[in-house]
Amino acid sequence: MVHKKVSPGKIALYTVTIFLALLWVVSLIWMILVSFKPSGSGVLSVRSWFSPPFSIDNYYYVLEHAPVILWIWNSVFVATVTTICVLLICSMAAFAFSQGRFPGYRIIFWIIMAGLMVPGEAILVPLYILFRDLGLLDSYEALIFPSIAVPFGMILLKQFFDGLPKELYEAAKIDGCGTYRMLFVITLPLSRSALAALGIFTFLGSWKEFIWPFISITDAVKMTIPIGIPFFNSEYNADYTIPMAANVIVSVPAVIVFLIFQKQIIKGVSFSGIKG
Amino acid sequence: MNKTMKWKQKSMAYMPYYVLLLPFVSTYILFMLYPLIQGFIVSFYDWEILGEKAYVGLKNYIDLFHDPVFYSSLWHTILFVLLSVPLLVVVGLGLAMIIHQPLKGQIIFRLIFFIPTVLTVSVVASVWSAVLGSYGGMANTIFRMFGASQDILWLNNPTLAWISVIVVTLWWTVGFNMILYLAGLQDIPDELYEAARIDGANGWQSFIHITVPSLRRITLLVTFLQVVASFKIFSQVYLVTTGGPAGSTRTIIQYIYEVGFKKYEFGPSSAMSYIFFFVLLVVSMIQFRISKERS
């Protein structure tokens, strides 16, 4: 093999890339190091970050003093149920718009399209009044219901369904396949990539949702991670070690899932972003 | 066949589609349309938390136009859009170009730049508050190692607080733009670059004449999404600076939140929501126009 000389351009590129990558992870590495420093011990010099004492007491402390495991569970539960509902409800509606022609088609479709322009942040007050009147503040329902009828998801799927070959439907119709069966037996299995993309996008969105849970949830046992952590950490202003341990605990599941499904997640995000 | 029977048969054919639409449409009406209309109504009322209400006409809107905090919050939001959008688009493209190169460890670099986007805002804000903090905060400790004698109080000075907020947003969210740009870069056929090289183009020339024009559609999309996202800026700013120092980083959503859910003045908060909605609508329309003309 010919030994290729490394070009100066390549060296510069590596230098820049490694520098940026370090800049990007340094705060996360610091978070992990500090989380293992005994509470109250000095983190005042760079050397102290890397030298003992280290201990896992902060982790025990967080697990004992805050329902973090419950918050992780709440987040997982809410995001999972939301995702399932979005996929089911949106694909049903998308199929109706893709295959059906019925009175009211245009008006219903345009009313839903208009919803694309409404930011969730613009309806916080009436949504709060509605859930209070329903007696559903501080509930999973409050966290799930407002984010399941998403015009974005419906339109994304409709576009995908529109692109499926027409012959398939015609053949199925001749074989006497009914509308519902057509959706579940033909369309959905062929749309796995679009459903996966929308599912990942929805799950991430629900996982990271902040402002509405922040308003509608005040009971610590119904909190999700984005609400629970600030609630807990606000008591430890002067100490960095305990909040960092809490941050590590709630980030680990997300990072592990991300590492396992990295390819699918990145594909799902770019598919939803570009097609939507 | 008479008319009614024909109609009956036809409506039987429509039936399944209405059934399929029902769950979506009913949740959409209940949790989207109804609140949207209700919010509009509330914005004309003096609406107390316990439900007592009095019609006040346009008073809530008029009061807002005399409220300096409303103007400053709106201005901070626009300023944030102007500062953050170019940065997030350009850095997103830059990172995508870097990880598009055939480097060793490409996957790890992609991972590193994307990983902050899967973290929740609570973790991001908590880590960055500590990074920027004094007396043991990460940034100040590193600066001390390089000889700084005093801590920088990042969050006590309006300019530094703004820089902090933008850096946090960049770090947390730019991975999303990077991924969209990466998909765009992967769609550019290699032959284009090959041909340019044969014609004697250098790296910069092929970037300007091939990469940039090929990415036009993606750039419009990324910019569009980023403008809307930046207008909605709230959580990371609120958790890191709580709008401070002295309200200098308070954005419009934070003010909507504070008026609505700290003071429980639902009327003014709804009026502000509607103004925000209207601004966003106009901005989206303009962007839509531009993207239609360009393509």
Side-chain angles (χ1 to χ4, degrees), chain A residues 14 17 24 31 44 89 101 103 111 115 117 121-122 126 128 132 180 208 210 214-215 233 240 244 247 258 262 269, chain B residues 14 16 18 24 28 32 35 49 98 104 110-111 114 117 126-127 130 134 136 141 171 176 232 235 253 257 273 277:
Chain A
Y14 270 108
T17 310
W24 235 256
M31 164 181 88
L44 285 168
I89 290 181
R101 291 289 172 272
I111 289 175
M117 307 303 271
E121 289 82 356
Y128 180 86
R132 192 195 55 196
Y180 305 120
K208 291 167 72 174
F210 178 75
F214 185 56
I215 286 167
N233 284 351
Y240 295 133
M244 291 311 125
N247 291 334
F258 174 66
Q262 204 210 130
V269 166
Chain B
Y14 301 141
Y18 288 129
F24 188 98
Y28 182 77
M32 178 75 138
I49 168 108
I98 284 176
K104 282 208 179 79
R110 189 176 70 179
L111 200 79
F114 191 72
T117 60
S126 167
V127 169
S134 47
T141 309
W171 181 83
F176 179 72
K232 296 190 197 173
S235 56
I253 302 229
Y257 164 74
S273 301
F277 177 30

Short mmCIF file of all heavy atoms in Angstrom, two decimals, chain A residues 14 17 24 31 44 89 101 103 111 115 117 121-122 126 128 132 180 208 210 214-215 233 240 244 247 258 262 269, chain B residues 14 16 18 24 28 32 35 49 98 104 110-111 114 117 126-127 130 134 136 141 171 176 232 235 253 257 273 277:
data_model
loop_
_atom_site.label_atom_id
_atom_site.label_comp_id
_atom_site.label_asym_id
_atom_site.label_seq_id
_atom_site.Cartn_x
_atom_site.Cartn_y
_atom_site.Cartn_z
N TYR A 14 -9.08 18.39 10.97
CA TYR A 14 -9.13 17.59 12.20
C TYR A 14 -8.99 18.48 13.43
O TYR A 14 -9.71 18.32 14.41
CB TYR A 14 -8.03 16.53 12.20
CG TYR A 14 -8.47 15.23 11.57
CD1 TYR A 14 -8.00 14.83 10.33
CD2 TYR A 14 -9.37 14.40 12.24
CE1 TYR A 14 -8.41 13.65 9.75
CE2 TYR A 14 -9.79 13.21 11.67
CZ TYR A 14 -9.30 12.84 10.42
OH TYR A 14 -9.73 11.68 9.86
N THR A 17 -12.24 20.36 13.98
CA THR A 17 -13.32 19.46 14.39
C THR A 17 -13.15 19.00 15.83
O THR A 17 -14.10 19.03 16.61
CB THR A 17 -13.35 18.22 13.46
OG1 THR A 17 -13.34 18.68 12.13
CG2 THR A 17 -14.58 17.39 13.72
N TRP A 24 -18.04 21.25 22.66
CA TRP A 24 -19.41 20.77 22.78
C TRP A 24 -19.61 19.83 23.96
O TRP A 24 -20.65 19.83 24.59
CB TRP A 24 -19.82 20.07 21.48
CG TRP A 24 -21.04 20.66 20.90
CD1 TRP A 24 -22.29 20.14 20.93
CD2 TRP A 24 -21.15 21.93 20.23
NE1 TRP A 24 -23.16 21.00 20.32
CE2 TRP A 24 -22.49 22.09 19.89
CE3 TRP A 24 -20.24 22.93 19.91
CZ2 TRP A 24 -22.96 23.23 19.22
CZ3 TRP A 24 -20.70 24.05 19.24
CH2 TRP A 24 -22.04 24.18 18.90
N MET A 31 -20.22 18.07 33.99
CA MET A 31 -21.42 17.66 34.74
C MET A 31 -21.19 16.30 35.40
O MET A 31 -21.50 16.11 36.58
CB MET A 31 -22.61 17.61 33.79
CG MET A 31 -23.81 16.84 34.32
SD MET A 31 -25.19 16.77 33.13
CE MET A 31 -24.76 15.31 32.20
N LEU A 44 -13.09 24.15 42.75
CA LEU A 44 -12.65 25.50 42.38
C LEU A 44 -11.45 25.54 41.44
O LEU A 44 -11.08 26.61 40.97
CB LEU A 44 -12.32 26.30 43.65
CG LEU A 44 -13.56 26.76 44.43
CD1 LEU A 44 -13.18 27.27 45.80
CD2 LEU A 44 -14.29 27.84 43.65
N ILE A 89 -54.32 8.20 15.50
CA ILE A 89 -55.32 9.20 15.12
C ILE A 89 -54.93 9.91 13.82
O ILE A 89 -55.77 10.12 12.94
CB ILE A 89 -55.50 10.22 16.28
CG1 ILE A 89 -56.20 9.53 17.44
CG2 ILE A 89 -56.30 11.42 15.82
CD1 ILE A 89 -56.45 10.44 18.59
N ARG A 101 -63.22 10.78 -0.89
CA ARG A 101 -63.81 12.03 -1.39
C ARG A 101 -65.19 12.09 -0.78
O ARG A 101 -66.00 11.20 -1.03
CB ARG A 101 -63.90 12.02 -2.92
CG ARG A 101 -62.57 12.08 -3.63
CD ARG A 101 -61.91 13.46 -3.48
NE ARG A 101 -60.55 13.45 -4.00
CZ ARG A 101 -59.47 13.11 -3.26
NH1 ARG A 101 -59.62 12.77 -2.00
NH2 ARG A 101 -58.28 13.13 -3.77
N PRO A 103 -68.42 14.82 1.15
CA PRO A 103 -68.88 16.19 1.36
C PRO A 103 -68.17 16.79 2.58
O PRO A 103 -68.03 16.12 3.60
CB PRO A 103 -70.38 16.04 1.63
CG PRO A 103 -70.75 14.71 1.09
CD PRO A 103 -69.53 13.84 1.19
N ILE A 111 -59.48 23.71 7.57
CA ILE A 111 -59.51 24.09 8.99
C ILE A 111 -58.35 23.43 9.74
O ILE A 111 -57.70 24.05 10.58
CB ILE A 111 -60.87 23.70 9.62
CG1 ILE A 111 -61.96 24.63 9.08
CG2 ILE A 111 -60.81 23.78 11.14
CD1 ILE A 111 -63.35 24.27 9.53
N GLY A 115 -54.56 25.07 11.45
CA GLY A 115 -53.99 24.77 12.76
C GLY A 115 -52.47 24.71 12.75
O GLY A 115 -51.83 24.86 13.79
N MET A 117 -50.61 26.89 11.71
CA MET A 117 -50.09 28.22 12.00
C MET A 117 -50.25 28.61 13.47
O MET A 117 -49.72 29.62 13.89
CB MET A 117 -50.84 29.28 11.14
CG MET A 117 -50.85 28.99 9.66
SD MET A 117 -49.17 28.81 9.03
CE MET A 117 -48.82 30.50 8.63
N GLU A 121 -48.18 27.91 22.25
CA GLU A 121 -47.96 28.93 23.27
C GLU A 121 -49.07 29.98 23.26
O GLU A 121 -49.23 30.72 24.23
CB GLU A 121 -46.62 29.63 23.04
CG GLU A 121 -45.40 28.78 23.34
CD GLU A 121 -45.03 27.84 22.21
OE1 GLU A 121 -45.77 27.77 21.20
OE2 GLU A 121 -43.99 27.17 22.33
N ALA A 122 -49.83 30.06 22.15
CA ALA A 122 -50.84 31.12 22.03
C ALA A 122 -52.16 30.75 22.70
O ALA A 122 -53.04 31.59 22.82
CB ALA A 122 -51.07 31.47 20.57
N PRO A 126 -56.66 29.70 27.63
CA PRO A 126 -57.90 28.93 27.46
C PRO A 126 -57.73 27.43 27.71
O PRO A 126 -58.66 26.79 28.21
CB PRO A 126 -58.29 29.20 26.00
CG PRO A 126 -57.08 29.74 25.34
CD PRO A 126 -56.29 30.43 26.41
N TYR A 128 -55.73 26.16 29.89
CA TYR A 128 -55.71 26.04 31.35
C TYR A 128 -57.12 26.10 31.91
O TYR A 128 -57.51 25.28 32.74
CB TYR A 128 -54.85 27.17 31.94
CG TYR A 128 -54.75 27.14 33.45
CD1 TYR A 128 -53.79 26.38 34.08
CD2 TYR A 128 -55.64 27.88 34.24
CE1 TYR A 128 -53.70 26.34 35.47
CE2 TYR A 128 -55.56 27.86 35.62
CZ TYR A 128 -54.58 27.09 36.23
OH TYR A 128 -54.50 27.05 37.60
N ARG A 132 -58.98 23.07 33.83
CA ARG A 132 -59.44 23.30 35.19
C ARG A 132 -60.93 22.98 35.29
O ARG A 132 -61.37 22.31 36.23
CB ARG A 132 -59.18 24.75 35.59
CG ARG A 132 -59.37 24.99 37.08
CD ARG A 132 -59.45 26.46 37.38
NE ARG A 132 -60.51 27.09 36.59
CZ ARG A 132 -60.61 28.40 36.42
NH1 ARG A 132 -59.70 29.20 36.93
NH2 ARG A 132 -61.60 28.91 35.73
N TYR A 180 -61.48 0.11 6.12
CA TYR A 180 -60.68 -0.02 7.33
C TYR A 180 -59.55 -1.01 7.14
O TYR A 180 -58.43 -0.80 7.57
CB TYR A 180 -61.55 -0.44 8.52
CG TYR A 180 -62.73 0.46 8.76
CD1 TYR A 180 -64.03 -0.03 8.71
CD2 TYR A 180 -62.54 1.80 9.03
CE1 TYR A 180 -65.10 0.79 8.93
CE2 TYR A 180 -63.62 2.64 9.23
CZ TYR A 180 -64.91 2.13 9.18
OH TYR A 180 -65.96 2.96 9.38
N LYS A 208 -39.51 16.52 25.60
CA LYS A 208 -38.88 17.81 25.88
C LYS A 208 -39.88 18.92 26.19
O LYS A 208 -39.49 20.03 26.55
CB LYS A 208 -38.02 18.24 24.68
CG LYS A 208 -36.79 17.36 24.51
CD LYS A 208 -36.11 17.57 23.18
CE LYS A 208 -35.41 18.90 23.12
NZ LYS A 208 -34.64 19.02 21.86
N PHE A 210 -42.09 21.66 27.62
CA PHE A 210 -41.87 22.37 28.89
C PHE A 210 -43.04 23.24 29.34
O PHE A 210 -43.58 23.05 30.42
CB PHE A 210 -40.60 23.22 28.80
CG PHE A 210 -40.34 24.02 30.04
CD1 PHE A 210 -39.87 23.41 31.19
CD2 PHE A 210 -40.61 25.39 30.09
CE1 PHE A 210 -39.64 24.13 32.36
CE2 PHE A 210 -40.39 26.11 31.25
CZ PHE A 210 -39.90 25.48 32.38
N PHE A 214 -45.42 22.78 32.69
CA PHE A 214 -44.99 23.73 33.71
C PHE A 214 -46.19 24.47 34.29
O PHE A 214 -46.24 24.79 35.48
CB PHE A 214 -44.00 24.71 33.06
CG PHE A 214 -43.35 25.69 34.00
CD1 PHE A 214 -42.65 25.25 35.11
CD2 PHE A 214 -43.42 27.06 33.74
CE1 PHE A 214 -42.04 26.16 35.96
CE2 PHE A 214 -42.81 27.96 34.59
CZ PHE A 214 -42.12 27.51 35.70
N ILE A 215 -47.18 24.73 33.44
CA ILE A 215 -48.37 25.46 33.89
C ILE A 215 -49.40 24.51 34.50
O ILE A 215 -50.02 24.80 35.51
CB ILE A 215 -48.98 26.22 32.69
CG1 ILE A 215 -48.11 27.43 32.36
CG2 ILE A 215 -50.42 26.67 32.99
CD1 ILE A 215 -48.42 28.07 31.05
N ASN A 233 -33.82 21.17 41.77
CA ASN A 233 -32.53 21.85 41.78
C ASN A 233 -32.58 23.25 42.38
O ASN A 233 -31.58 23.76 42.86
CB ASN A 233 -31.94 21.94 40.37
CG ASN A 233 -31.38 20.60 39.92
OD1 ASN A 233 -31.27 19.67 40.71
ND2 ASN A 233 -31.01 20.52 38.66
N TYR A 240 -23.08 22.77 43.47
CA TYR A 240 -23.21 22.25 42.12
C TYR A 240 -23.32 20.73 42.08
O TYR A 240 -23.81 20.16 41.13
CB TYR A 240 -22.01 22.67 41.26
CG TYR A 240 -21.90 24.17 41.04
CD1 TYR A 240 -20.70 24.82 41.22
CD2 TYR A 240 -23.02 24.89 40.66
CE1 TYR A 240 -20.60 26.19 41.02
CE2 TYR A 240 -22.93 26.26 40.46
CZ TYR A 240 -21.72 26.91 40.64
OH TYR A 240 -21.64 28.26 40.45
N MET A 244 -26.01 18.29 39.69
CA MET A 244 -25.39 17.60 38.56
C MET A 244 -25.70 16.10 38.61
O MET A 244 -25.91 15.47 37.59
CB MET A 244 -23.88 17.82 38.54
CG MET A 244 -23.48 19.24 38.19
SD MET A 244 -24.29 19.92 36.73
CE MET A 244 -24.98 21.40 37.40
N ASN A 247 -29.09 15.71 37.24
CA ASN A 247 -29.06 15.85 35.79
C ASN A 247 -28.57 14.58 35.11
O ASN A 247 -29.11 14.17 34.08
CB ASN A 247 -28.14 17.00 35.39
CG ASN A 247 -28.72 18.35 35.77
OD1 ASN A 247 -29.93 18.49 35.89
ND2 ASN A 247 -27.87 19.32 36.00
N PHE A 258 -30.82 7.04 22.78
CA PHE A 258 -30.30 7.72 21.60
C PHE A 258 -29.14 6.96 20.99
O PHE A 258 -29.05 6.79 19.77
CB PHE A 258 -29.87 9.15 21.95
CG PHE A 258 -29.20 9.84 20.82
CD1 PHE A 258 -29.90 10.14 19.67
CD2 PHE A 258 -27.84 10.13 20.87
CE1 PHE A 258 -29.26 10.75 18.60
CE2 PHE A 258 -27.21 10.74 19.81
CZ PHE A 258 -27.92 11.05 18.67
N GLN A 262 -29.55 5.63 17.31
CA GLN A 262 -28.98 6.84 16.72
C GLN A 262 -29.39 7.04 15.26
O GLN A 262 -29.90 8.09 14.88
CB GLN A 262 -27.46 6.71 16.81
CG GLN A 262 -26.75 8.02 16.79
CD GLN A 262 -25.39 7.86 16.16
OE1 GLN A 262 -25.05 8.61 15.29
NE2 GLN A 262 -24.61 6.89 16.60
N VAL A 269 -35.72 12.44 12.41
CA VAL A 269 -35.73 13.88 12.60
C VAL A 269 -35.59 14.59 11.25
O VAL A 269 -36.31 15.53 10.96
CB VAL A 269 -34.62 14.32 13.58
CG1 VAL A 269 -34.40 15.81 13.53
CG2 VAL A 269 -34.98 13.89 14.99
N TYR B 14 -69.53 7.15 2.10
CA TYR B 14 -68.73 8.16 2.80
C TYR B 14 -68.44 7.77 4.24
O TYR B 14 -67.46 8.17 4.81
CB TYR B 14 -69.47 9.51 2.85
CG TYR B 14 -69.82 10.09 1.52
CD1 TYR B 14 -71.05 10.73 1.31
CD2 TYR B 14 -68.92 10.03 0.46
CE1 TYR B 14 -71.37 11.29 0.10
CE2 TYR B 14 -69.24 10.58 -0.76
CZ TYR B 14 -70.47 11.21 -0.94
OH TYR B 14 -70.78 11.76 -2.13
N PRO B 16 -67.29 5.36 6.20
CA PRO B 16 -66.02 4.97 6.80
C PRO B 16 -65.04 6.13 6.94
O PRO B 16 -64.31 6.21 7.94
CB PRO B 16 -65.45 3.93 5.83
CG PRO B 16 -66.61 3.46 5.04
CD PRO B 16 -67.60 4.58 5.00
N TYR B 18 -65.73 9.33 7.42
CA TYR B 18 -66.12 10.16 8.56
C TYR B 18 -65.72 9.48 9.87
O TYR B 18 -65.28 10.15 10.81
CB TYR B 18 -67.62 10.44 8.54
CG TYR B 18 -68.04 11.40 7.45
CD1 TYR B 18 -69.08 11.08 6.57
CD2 TYR B 18 -67.40 12.62 7.29
CE1 TYR B 18 -69.47 11.95 5.57
CE2 TYR B 18 -67.77 13.49 6.30
CZ TYR B 18 -68.81 13.16 5.44
OH TYR B 18 -69.16 14.03 4.45
N PHE B 24 -59.65 12.32 15.24
CA PHE B 24 -58.78 13.47 15.02
C PHE B 24 -59.57 14.77 15.13
O PHE B 24 -59.21 15.68 15.87
CB PHE B 24 -58.10 13.40 13.64
CG PHE B 24 -57.06 14.47 13.43
CD1 PHE B 24 -55.72 14.20 13.62
CD2 PHE B 24 -57.42 15.75 13.05
CE1 PHE B 24 -54.75 15.17 13.44
CE2 PHE B 24 -56.47 16.74 12.87
CZ PHE B 24 -55.13 16.45 13.07
N TYR B 28 -59.19 17.62 17.88
CA TYR B 28 -58.73 18.89 17.32
C TYR B 28 -59.66 20.03 17.71
O TYR B 28 -59.21 21.10 18.12
CB TYR B 28 -58.64 18.75 15.80
CG TYR B 28 -58.14 19.98 15.08
CD1 TYR B 28 -56.79 20.28 15.09
CD2 TYR B 28 -59.01 20.81 14.40
CE1 TYR B 28 -56.31 21.39 14.43
CE2 TYR B 28 -58.55 21.92 13.73
CZ TYR B 28 -57.20 22.21 13.75
OH TYR B 28 -56.74 23.32 13.10
N MET B 32 -57.95 22.40 20.41
CA MET B 32 -57.28 23.39 19.58
C MET B 32 -58.24 24.51 19.15
O MET B 32 -58.03 25.66 19.50
CB MET B 32 -56.69 22.68 18.35
CG MET B 32 -56.02 23.60 17.39
SD MET B 32 -54.44 24.14 18.05
CE MET B 32 -53.48 24.03 16.60
N PRO B 35 -60.21 26.13 22.35
CA PRO B 35 -59.37 27.07 23.10
C PRO B 35 -59.00 28.31 22.29
O PRO B 35 -58.91 29.41 22.85
CB PRO B 35 -58.11 26.26 23.42
CG PRO B 35 -58.53 24.84 23.33
CD PRO B 35 -59.60 24.80 22.30
N ILE B 49 -59.42 34.49 38.03
CA ILE B 49 -59.04 33.08 38.12
C ILE B 49 -60.21 32.20 38.50
O ILE B 49 -60.36 31.10 38.02
CB ILE B 49 -57.86 32.90 39.12
CG1 ILE B 49 -57.62 31.43 39.47
CG2 ILE B 49 -58.08 33.65 40.42
CD1 ILE B 49 -56.42 30.87 38.88
N ILE B 98 -18.68 19.82 8.24
CA ILE B 98 -17.58 19.12 8.91
C ILE B 98 -17.87 17.62 9.01
O ILE B 98 -17.06 16.79 8.62
CB ILE B 98 -17.35 19.71 10.32
CG1 ILE B 98 -16.63 21.05 10.20
CG2 ILE B 98 -16.55 18.75 11.18
CD1 ILE B 98 -16.44 21.76 11.52
N LYS B 104 -12.01 10.27 10.14
CA LYS B 104 -12.03 9.15 11.08
C LYS B 104 -12.83 9.61 12.29
O LYS B 104 -12.68 10.73 12.75
CB LYS B 104 -10.60 8.81 11.52
CG LYS B 104 -9.83 8.02 10.49
CD LYS B 104 -8.78 7.15 11.18
CE LYS B 104 -8.00 6.33 10.16
NZ LYS B 104 -6.95 7.12 9.47
N ARG B 110 -20.56 13.37 14.88
CA ARG B 110 -21.99 13.60 14.65
C ARG B 110 -22.77 13.44 15.95
O ARG B 110 -23.66 14.23 16.28
CB ARG B 110 -22.49 12.61 13.59
CG ARG B 110 -23.89 12.89 13.12
CD ARG B 110 -24.30 11.95 12.03
NE ARG B 110 -24.48 10.60 12.54
CZ ARG B 110 -24.85 9.56 11.79
NH1 ARG B 110 -25.07 9.72 10.51
NH2 ARG B 110 -24.98 8.37 12.31
N LEU B 111 -22.39 12.39 16.68
CA LEU B 111 -23.04 12.11 17.97
C LEU B 111 -22.87 13.27 18.94
O LEU B 111 -23.82 13.71 19.58
CB LEU B 111 -22.34 10.87 18.54
CG LEU B 111 -23.08 10.09 19.58
CD1 LEU B 111 -24.10 9.25 18.87
CD2 LEU B 111 -22.11 9.20 20.34
N PHE B 114 -24.94 16.28 18.08
CA PHE B 114 -26.39 16.09 18.11
C PHE B 114 -26.93 15.81 19.51
O PHE B 114 -28.09 16.09 19.80
CB PHE B 114 -26.81 14.97 17.15
CG PHE B 114 -28.29 14.88 16.92
CD1 PHE B 114 -28.93 15.86 16.17
CD2 PHE B 114 -29.06 13.88 17.48
CE1 PHE B 114 -30.30 15.82 15.96
CE2 PHE B 114 -30.43 13.83 17.28
CZ PHE B 114 -31.05 14.79 16.52
N THR B 117 -29.39 17.95 21.72
CA THR B 117 -30.78 18.12 21.31
C THR B 117 -31.71 17.08 21.93
O THR B 117 -32.91 17.29 21.93
CB THR B 117 -30.96 18.07 19.78
OG1 THR B 117 -30.52 16.81 19.33
CG2 THR B 117 -30.20 19.16 19.08
N SER B 126 -29.86 23.68 33.89
CA SER B 126 -29.16 23.44 35.14
C SER B 126 -27.65 23.34 34.92
O SER B 126 -26.86 23.93 35.66
CB SER B 126 -29.71 22.17 35.78
OG SER B 126 -28.88 21.73 36.82
N VAL B 127 -27.25 22.60 33.88
CA VAL B 127 -25.81 22.47 33.60
C VAL B 127 -25.22 23.83 33.24
O VAL B 127 -24.18 24.23 33.76
CB VAL B 127 -25.57 21.46 32.44
CG1 VAL B 127 -24.12 21.52 31.96
CG2 VAL B 127 -25.91 20.05 32.91
N ALA B 130 -24.71 26.24 36.03
CA ALA B 130 -23.51 25.89 36.79
C ALA B 130 -22.25 26.22 35.99
O ALA B 130 -21.26 26.68 36.55
CB ALA B 130 -23.55 24.41 37.15
N SER B 134 -20.63 31.65 39.29
CA SER B 134 -19.38 32.10 39.90
C SER B 134 -19.05 31.16 41.05
O SER B 134 -19.84 30.32 41.44
CB SER B 134 -19.53 33.53 40.39
OG SER B 134 -20.71 33.66 41.11
N GLY B 136 -16.70 28.55 41.43
CA GLY B 136 -16.68 27.13 41.11
C GLY B 136 -17.40 26.78 39.82
O GLY B 136 -17.42 25.63 39.42
N THR B 141 -13.77 28.79 36.28
CA THR B 141 -12.64 27.99 36.75
C THR B 141 -11.60 27.82 35.64
O THR B 141 -10.40 27.91 35.88
CB THR B 141 -13.15 26.62 37.24
OG1 THR B 141 -14.21 26.82 38.16
CG2 THR B 141 -12.04 25.85 37.91
N TRP B 171 -25.87 25.78 21.59
CA TRP B 171 -25.36 24.48 22.02
C TRP B 171 -26.48 23.43 22.06
O TRP B 171 -26.31 22.31 21.61
CB TRP B 171 -24.74 24.63 23.42
CG TRP B 171 -24.15 23.38 23.97
CD1 TRP B 171 -22.91 22.88 23.71
CD2 TRP B 171 -24.76 22.46 24.89
NE1 TRP B 171 -22.72 21.71 24.40
CE2 TRP B 171 -23.83 21.43 25.13
CE3 TRP B 171 -26.01 22.42 25.53
CZ2 TRP B 171 -24.10 20.37 25.99
CZ3 TRP B 171 -26.27 21.35 26.38
CH2 TRP B 171 -25.33 20.34 26.61
N PHE B 176 -30.12 20.03 15.45
CA PHE B 176 -31.29 19.80 14.58
C PHE B 176 -31.05 20.38 13.18
O PHE B 176 -31.24 19.69 12.17
CB PHE B 176 -32.52 20.43 15.22
CG PHE B 176 -33.79 20.29 14.42
CD1 PHE B 176 -34.43 19.07 14.32
CD2 PHE B 176 -34.33 21.39 13.76
CE1 PHE B 176 -35.59 18.94 13.58
CE2 PHE B 176 -35.49 21.26 13.02
CZ PHE B 176 -36.12 20.03 12.93
N LYS B 232 -40.53 31.70 19.52
CA LYS B 232 -41.17 31.05 20.67
C LYS B 232 -40.21 30.88 21.84
O LYS B 232 -40.52 30.15 22.78
CB LYS B 232 -41.69 29.67 20.25
CG LYS B 232 -42.78 29.71 19.21
CD LYS B 232 -43.32 28.31 19.10
CE LYS B 232 -44.10 28.05 17.86
NZ LYS B 232 -44.44 26.62 17.77
N SER B 235 -38.20 28.70 27.36
CA SER B 235 -37.81 27.84 28.49
C SER B 235 -36.36 28.00 28.91
O SER B 235 -36.08 28.18 30.09
CB SER B 235 -38.12 26.38 28.15
OG SER B 235 -37.49 26.01 26.96
N ILE B 253 -43.12 35.35 25.43
CA ILE B 253 -43.81 34.20 26.03
C ILE B 253 -43.67 34.23 27.55
O ILE B 253 -44.58 33.86 28.28
CB ILE B 253 -43.28 32.88 25.45
CG1 ILE B 253 -43.50 32.92 23.94
CG2 ILE B 253 -43.97 31.67 26.11
CD1 ILE B 253 -44.12 31.77 23.32
N TYR B 257 -46.70 34.27 30.14
CA TYR B 257 -46.75 33.35 31.27
C TYR B 257 -46.90 34.10 32.60
O TYR B 257 -47.74 33.74 33.43
CB TYR B 257 -45.49 32.47 31.28
CG TYR B 257 -45.27 31.78 32.60
CD1 TYR B 257 -46.05 30.70 32.99
CD2 TYR B 257 -44.29 32.23 33.49
CE1 TYR B 257 -45.87 30.09 34.21
CE2 TYR B 257 -44.10 31.63 34.72
CZ TYR B 257 -44.90 30.56 35.08
OH TYR B 257 -44.73 29.96 36.30
N SER B 273 -51.35 36.91 23.92
CA SER B 273 -51.21 35.69 23.13
C SER B 273 -51.68 35.93 21.70
O SER B 273 -51.06 35.47 20.75
CB SER B 273 -52.03 34.55 23.72
OG SER B 273 -51.63 34.28 25.03
N PHE B 277 -49.60 35.64 18.33
CA PHE B 277 -50.09 34.78 17.26
C PHE B 277 -50.14 35.55 15.94
O PHE B 277 -49.67 35.07 14.90
CB PHE B 277 -51.48 34.26 17.66
CG PHE B 277 -52.16 33.41 16.64
CD1 PHE B 277 -51.44 32.62 15.74
CD2 PHE B 277 -53.55 33.37 16.58
CE1 PHE B 277 -52.10 31.83 14.81
CE2 PHE B 277 -54.21 32.59 15.65
CZ PHE B 277 -53.48 31.83 14.76
#
